[in-house]
Amino acid sequence: NLTQLDLNNNFLEGNVDGLGVFTELEFLQLHSNLFTGTIPEEVGSFPILGTFTLHSTDFTGSIPDGLCDLVDSGTLTSMIADCGGPAPEIECTCCTDCRP
């Protein structure tokens, strides 16, 4: 079973709707790509996800509630998104690091 997926810095394009099949991910890095769309709700149901980076992408919308639940429970200890600055691309009330 896949527990780590590191796709950062590859200039990948498109959406990431297929991530829901990797339910045992502990480490998910998507940053520094050209991904678009929203973060799939399924990512919030990964029970042991501890690191999730999605900054420096073209994602929009809100972080799924399930991801904030993982932060609140202490399971997800590092979540970095483009949720800072005057015009954030992502709405996130629970990210551990908001980048402009």
Side-chain angles (χ1 to χ4, degrees), residues 18-54:
L19 287 177
V21 299
F22 303 115
T23 58
E24 296 190 28
L25 283 176
E26 299 173 26
F27 182 86
L28 177 57
Q29 286 194 314
L30 302 177
H31 68 274
S32 303
N33 281 295
L34 302 172
F35 292 127
T36 57
T38 59
I39 306 302
E41 291 287 330
E42 297 85 15
V43 176
S45 65
F46 294 174
I48 54 176
L49 186 63
T51 299
F52 184 29
T53 61
L54 59 143

Side-chain angles (χ1 to χ4, degrees), residues 67-99:
L67 284 168
C68 288
D69 292 343
L70 289 173
V71 171
D72 292 343
S73 73
T75 302
L76 182 54
T77 58
S78 178
M79 182 164 56
I80 306 169
D82 295 329
C83 51
E89 294 178 17
I90 295 283
E91 183 180 326
C92 184
T93 58
C94 61
C95 288
T96 60
D97 186 353
C98 283
R99 308 242 172 124

